[in-house]
Structure formats: C-alpha cells, structure tokens
C-alpha cells in the first residue's frame, strides 16, 4: 500500500510527458501564396527553400546561375520548393505566386517560376508572356522529363534543380536546352589553301543515290495536352 502513491505519481508523470510530446509535435507547414518566403526580401537570391528540400550548397549554386541570367537581361527565374500547399491546386498556386511576386522585368515580362510541391508530387513551370516564344509548353515538358523528373524519382532534388536550371540557362544562352547534347563545332577551314583541298569526283547522274526525306517526330500531342506541369508519381 505504501507504493501506491508512488505508482500514481509515476503514471501521472508519464502521461504529462506524453502530453508535452504531442503538443511539441510540429506539423508540416502548409504554405499559402502570401507566406511563401520571397528570396528577394530575405537577403536576396532567387531560391525559396523553407522546407530544406535541397541543400544549401545546391541553393548557392542555383543563385549563381540565375543571377548571371538575370543580370544579362535574358530571363529572371525564381525557384520555389515547398513540402505542402494544402488543398491548393499546384498549377493555380504557381500562377498566383508568379503574379504576387511580379517575377521578371516589367517591360520584358521575362519571368519564369519553377515550383516543386513535394506532397502533391508536382513540378510546375510558369512563364511570362515575354519568353513564351523561347520556352513554349513542349520545351518546359522536355526539360522536366529529361533533366528533372528522373532525379526527383531517385530523391535527388539537388541534381534535379541544378540540371533543370542548367537546361534553362543553355536554352537562353545557345537556343538549345539540351546542354549535354550540343553539336560539336565545325572545323575552321578558312586557312586551308586551294592545293590542300582534295578534289571531289561527282558520280554520274545514273549512279546518284538520293537520301530519303527525314521523318520528324510528331510533337503535336505534347503541345495539345501539356498544361505546364508534370507529375513525378
């Protein structure tokens, strides 16, 4: 009987600890457009990463790449990585955030928002009117599918964002987003003399073999069905 008060106190202590633990449990924040941290107002930069979905090293590398594009007047890119936006539709959220932050130069309207929502498993590109000709839906789709989605499926967000932004930079710097598949430069023959150029025999007309017309891939289905977002289920 003497141990009974001690057992009661011990039980109450355990219950108190359990209550405190439940109170201290922090649920993932569900962001609204208004409370997404704007990097321009928080020390500068182009990356908003409040849920730490990419490393600080990757964020710094992205800021360097995006600063160069912005300073060159080509495109202003904001990268936003969030765990959750609640019940909001990611595509609508991206459109609203793009306008709320007024991404891009006011006259050029050359803004681009790259939004990743982890729990919704969505990746969104929102473009300003000024870059739609350079970056149509099909190009957004291909950058996401070829350079970003495979890394995200492997839970490598750093590589996904770095490769995606590198592709965007290549698009605006060279006109080709496929930076790892750029054609080799042609040799410079300007210094070759006439004597060093080997003569070419032209075959008789009846022996000429004509190449078949090139068959181009039909991309109309991508353009008609793509809405500017891609799921990485």
């Amino acid at each position: 009987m003497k141990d009974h008060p001690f057992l009661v106190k011990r039980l109450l202590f355990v219950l108190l600890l359990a209550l405190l633990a439940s109170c201290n449990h922090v649920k993932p924040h569900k962001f609204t457009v208004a409370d997404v941290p704007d990097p321009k107002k928080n020390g500068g930069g182009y990356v908003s990463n409040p849920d730490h979905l990419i490393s600080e090293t990757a964020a710094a590398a992205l800021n360097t790449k995006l600063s160069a594009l912005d300073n060159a007047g080509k495109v202003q890119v904001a990268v936003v990585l969030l765990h959750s936006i609640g019940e909001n539709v990611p595509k609508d959220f991206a459109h609203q955030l793009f306008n709320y932050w007024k991404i891009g130069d006011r006259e050029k309207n050359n803004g681009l928002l790259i939004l990743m929502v982890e729990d919704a498993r969505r990746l969104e590109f929102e473009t300003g009117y000024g870059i739609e000709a350079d970056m149509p839906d099909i190009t957004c789709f291909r950058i996401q599918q070829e350079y970003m989605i495979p890394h995200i499926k492997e839970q490598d967000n750093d590589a996904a964002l770095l490769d995606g932004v590198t592709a965007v930079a290549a698009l605006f710097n060279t006109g080709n987003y496929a930076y790892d598949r750029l054609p080799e430069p042609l040799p410079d023959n300007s210094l070759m003399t006439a004597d060093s150029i080997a003569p070419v025999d032209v075959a008789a007309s009846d022996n000429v073999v004509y190449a078949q017309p090139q068959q181009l891939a039909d991309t109309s289905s991508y353009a008609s069905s793509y809405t500017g977002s891609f799921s990485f289920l």
Side-chain angles (χ1 to χ4, degrees):
M1 295 297 293
K2 292 181 179 180
D3 293 335
H4 181 68
F6 174 76
L7 292 175
V8 172
K9 290 180 180 179
R10 187 170 184 178
L11 179 60
L12 290 174
F13 179 72
V14 171
L15 291 174
L16 179 61
L17 288 178
L19 179 62
L20 290 174
S22 64
C23 292
N24 290 331
H25 179 69
V26 179
K27 295 182 179 179
H29 183 72
K30 295 180 180 179
F31 284 93
T32 65
V33 168
D35 62 10
V36 175
D38 185 346
K40 293 292 186 182
K41 298 178 180 179
N42 292 276
Y46 301 82
V47 180
S48 183
N49 182 37
D51 293 319
H52 307 289
L53 299 183
I54 60 173
S55 67
E56 292 298 321
T57 301
L62 290 172
N63 277 321
T64 299
K65 290 176 181 288
L66 298 178
S67 177
L69 285 173
D70 191 12
N71 291 335
K74 295 180 178 181
V75 60
Q76 185 181 102
V77 185
V79 175
V80 179
L81 304 109
L82 304 174
H83 171 71
S84 179
I85 56 173
E87 299 302 318
N88 291 301
V89 178
K91 182 59 182 173
D92 295 341
F93 192 94
H95 181 73
Q96 294 166 16
L97 183 60
F98 183 95
N99 291 323
Y100 186 73
W101 282 1
K102 297 179 173 60
I103 301 170
D105 181 82
R106 183 174 181 179
E107 295 182 359
K108 295 179 180 178
N109 202 349
N110 62 340
L112 167 65
L113 170 64
I114 299 176
L115 170 68
M116 190 183 88
V117 183
E118 188 178 44
D119 69 344
R121 305 184 71 81
R122 298 296 296 183
L123 185 63
E124 307 285 345
F125 279 23
E126 185 75 18
T127 59
Y129 292 118
I131 64 169
E132 285 186 345
D134 299 304
M135 202 169 182
D137 284 349
I138 182 60
T139 301
C140 296
F141 172 84
R142 286 172 172 165
I143 291 174
Q144 292 175 343
Q145 187 181 57
E146 295 173 24
Y147 292 100
M148 303 183 74
I149 301 301
H151 290 307
I152 295 175
K153 287 183 175 180
E154 295 175 354
Q155 299 183 341
D156 191 350
N157 293 338
D158 282 12
L161 272 298
L162 287 169
D163 285 3
V165 166
T166 300
V168 171
L171 176 66
F172 286 92
N173 287 327
T174 70
N176 187 348
Y177 71 90
Y179 62 90
D180 55 345
R181 300 192 298 274
L182 293 175
E184 293 294 330
L186 295 174
D188 183 6
N189 296 326
S190 60
L191 299 179
M192 294 180 66
T193 63
D195 294 338
S196 65
I197 301 176
V200 178
D201 293 328
V202 180
S205 59
D206 56 348
N207 293 325
V208 175
V209 178
Y210 294 95
Q212 295 297 318
Q214 184 179 6
Q215 298 298 317
L216 300 178
D218 179 14
T219 60
S220 58
S221 60
Y222 294 130
S224 61
S225 62
Y226 183 61
T227 59
S229 61
F230 195 78
S231 173
F232 43 91
L233 292 172

